[in-house]
Amino acid sequence: MQEHEERNDRAGMRRSIRDARPYVYSPHAGPNAPDPSVETAKERSTDMGVRIDQIRSLIEEKPKDRKFTIIDACAAHVADARKNAGAKKEFLHGFMQFPTDFKVTDHNQRMMLAIAVDLVNQTYGGNAVFHARIDRDEKGQHGVDVFFAPRYEKHTASKGTEQWISLSKFSKENARARYGQRRKEVKNKKTNKFEPVLDRDGKPVMVWNDAAEFQGRALQDAWFEHLKANVGDKYQVERGKEKKGRDPDRLSPEDYAAEQEQKKLLAEVERQLQAEGPKVDPEDCHQRVAAKIIEKASEQALSEARDFARDAVKKDAETFLARAMEKAKADAAAMTVTYLSSEAYEFTAMKRENERLSADAKRQGGIARLLLEVLKTVLPRQLMATVRSVFDKKWAAASPDGEPFDWGEKPKPKSIKDHSSAPGL
């Protein structure tokens, strides 16, 4: 952790993209280091603003020549305090993530660092944090690393008041207060299923939900509630999804940042799609990118719609022409049959029938001309040429004498020279 803070490890060197020293809260590093025993025993202010100001007064940009390490800070913090001999860890580490909508300024970053330190102190007995840091050289500048070892006063009848260091006392108390108890279960070797453990009276044995995963969850819940209560009216604060298993679930800062950026971008795209005439702030990166995504998607969708419509129109035109051709064949067959059977009728009946057929033929021709004009008006020139090409082929195949279909195009007038030689001129 110390190597990472000094950017001497591979991950630190890879993530560093600008020359900016971190802000640190490390009260034991300065010449006026507090006495940890006095700090633990004193009564703390109930006013969060007062506590934040006190912490901010100790925040500084870490000097380049400082040799005081995280281990040094921990040693100064736990000095003269008792500790369980079986404790394996020296201290705890928490990463407190703020909403990335916070504007990155010196004032805001110092405030983020102070707020995170205060929350951990209040959650773990009052005097817990001995070192905290907010990195300023990485792409993400909204996360605070907090290093703490809760120090508290323990009162016993035999020894009186003593100061102790415990990494589990407050963590377990917080978890128990939040999650209570559950029925103890053990796995039945015969059925391979978990079954409740019963006491001698046949009642289920209860256990506290204070294991390591519950302790970590309690701190996350406390942090979420703290942000929601203090900045939830200005910024969107969302609780992380509950972990389903015990596999490692901590993302690297790069993966986490990419995931958060994607969520913000998708949310902005959805907002712009739902809003009527959404306004795009040119200074807001997410709004600009979302607008470009929507614009590009719209162009692609419009292009695909045009292709689909073109194919649909062509298909519908071919279907229409095929049906019209079938109707024309049926009408021609009906007229032919009627004409051939007219010898059995009187001349007047044949005349009336021929007149009716002539009127029908004219009507069909009029309908065909009308449809032709509609097609010429509605369809683009290139698509109309395609329709005409298809129709001409089908007409030539259906026409008995192979005459081309009359598209109603007037013949070009003859030249003046040709008119001069015509009879009567």
Side-chain angles (χ1 to χ4, degrees), residues 287-303:
Q287 292 188 21
R288 293 200 317 270
V289 174
K292 286 187 175 294
I293 289 175
I294 294 173
E295 181 182 0
K296 186 173 182 180
S298 299
E299 292 175 355
Q300 183 176 355
L302 183 58
S303 176

Side-chain angles (χ1 to χ4, degrees), residues 30 180 241 401 409:
K241 295 181 180 179
D401 52 5
E409 297 175 349

Side-chain angles (χ1 to χ4, degrees), residues 22-35 39 42 44 50-63 66 110 113-114 117 121 127 129-133:
Y23 284 141
V24 295
Y25 166 81
S26 194
H28 298 287
N32 299 318
D35 185 330
E39 288 296 310
K42 76 177 185 180
R44 302 184 186 281
V50 173
R51 298 196 306 269
I52 293 293
D53 288 341
Q54 291 174 348
I55 296 171
R56 285 183 61 198
S57 67
L58 298 174
I59 293 175
E60 61 180 339
E61 182 180 293
K62 185 175 182 179
R66 174 172 290 174
R110 288 173 181 265
L113 183 54
V117 169
N121 273 336
N127 185 23
V129 180
F130 57 83
H131 185 78
R133 176 187 81 242

